[in-house]
Amino acid sequence: MTSIQTYLQKIPYFAGITPPELHRLQTTSLLHTYAAGEVIFTEGELSLGLFIVESGHVKIYKLSPNGNEHILRLCGQGKTFNDIGALDAGATPANAAALTHPTQLWLIPVDTLKTILLHNPVVATNVIRFLARQVRTLVGQIEDLALHSVIVRLARFLLKQAQNPDLNGVAITRTVIAAHLNTTPQTISVTLRELEAAGAIEFDRHKVLIVREDVLRTIACQ
């Protein structure tokens, strides 16, 4: 386990941070450990601050009135979450839970983050750019859910998975993928078979291998 001072210097979010600010982060931040399935916070709670994943995977999700889960984001090592709640010091906008055991998270308190942003325009600009990228990502998710079939959504997810470590690992099960793509695990299994029949992938219970990326991209662009 690294100290947060060493760790933060590797995260683009905090590029341009000064040594005194790093020291403040080190002295005020706390490291928490969670078991797989353990809830980190629930929607509507008063935000305690910004979380950074030291190790493991975290899902950010919403629950429908009947209890169905939709995963908004999957966060792996080095990724931040609860940015909105930390920045406006308001309520948490979604739920968060650990997917792996152990999952270790740094918590940067709201007041610490606020002080750094007020005095460091470089870090403040980094945060603005990050939030802009997140808005683009959410707009893309809404478009996918509203306009595209499950096979297109899954093809796009698999292409992203090949490039993004946040979307990989034993924690990213078919149940998790289904909750992220707003469908069911059974539908994911059927759709994987369709992609295999099309010659785009090969898969078993534990692994999906892209064998024809060009075919997968053609399906993803439908």
Side-chain angles (χ1 to χ4, degrees):
M1 182 180 68
T2 61
S3 73
I4 192 171
Q5 189 174 38
T6 301
Y7 189 62
L8 287 178
Q9 294 179 82
K10 302 176 183 178
I11 300 176
Y13 201 101
F14 289 99
I17 200 165
T18 66
E21 290 166 343
L22 278 173
H23 178 72
R24 178 178 176 83
L25 285 170
Q26 186 177 34
T27 56
T28 60
S29 299
L30 298 172
L31 184 65
H32 297 270
T33 301
Y34 296 86
E38 188 173 354
V39 173
I40 299 162
F41 55 73
T42 57
E43 181 178 357
E45 289 183 9
L46 181 64
S47 176
L48 298 177
L50 178 72
F51 288 87
I52 304 174
V53 182
E54 165 91 12
S55 63
H57 279 83
V58 171
K59 64 178 179 180
I60 312 301
Y61 63 101
K62 302 275 281 188
L63 293 173
S64 69
N66 60 3
N68 290 332
E69 178 182 286
H70 177 62
I71 296 177
L72 302 173
R73 286 183 65 202
L74 295 164
C75 304
Q77 185 180 44
K79 296 300 167 57
T80 62
F81 63 94
N82 194 44
D83 306 75
I84 299 299
L87 291 169
D88 69 5
T92 53
N95 308 283
L99 285 172
T100 49
H101 177 77
T103 292
Q104 293 186 304
L105 308 173
W106 288 104
L107 173 62
I108 300 175
V110 169
D111 290 344
T112 297
L113 184 63
K114 179 180 178 181
T115 299
I116 291 172
L117 293 178
L118 284 173
H119 295 92
N120 191 322
V122 175
V123 176
T125 300
N126 294 341
V127 172
I128 292 170
R129 287 174 177 165
F130 170 82
L131 292 176
R133 287 195 298 270
Q134 287 300 110
V135 170
R136 289 182 184 274
T137 298
L138 288 172
V139 169
Q141 284 181 277
I142 293 170
E143 178 184 324
D144 280 348
L145 293 174
L147 303 178
H148 298 293
S149 64
V150 174
I151 193 169
V152 171
R153 300 204 299 270
L154 182 57
R156 292 182 177 188
F157 178 86
L158 293 175
L159 289 168
K160 292 176 184 176
Q161 189 178 48
Q163 303 294 326
N164 186 349
D166 289 359
L167 305 180
N168 279 292
V170 296
I172 313 303
T173 62
R174 292 183 198 180
T175 299
V176 169
I177 295 171
H180 186 50
L181 300 183
N182 196 33
T183 187
T184 66
Q186 293 79 10
T187 301
I188 292 295
S189 295
V190 170
T191 308
L192 284 170
R193 293 191 189 98
E194 291 177 9
L195 291 173
E196 186 174 50
I201 66 168
E202 292 178 356
F203 81 99
D204 57 29
R205 291 185 60 190
H206 306 291
K207 186 176 181 180
V208 175
L209 175 67
I210 298 174
V211 295
R212 288 287 303 276
E213 184 176 330
D214 58 327
V215 174
L216 195 61
R217 288 193 179 279
T218 298
I219 294 170
C221 291
Q222 291 177 357

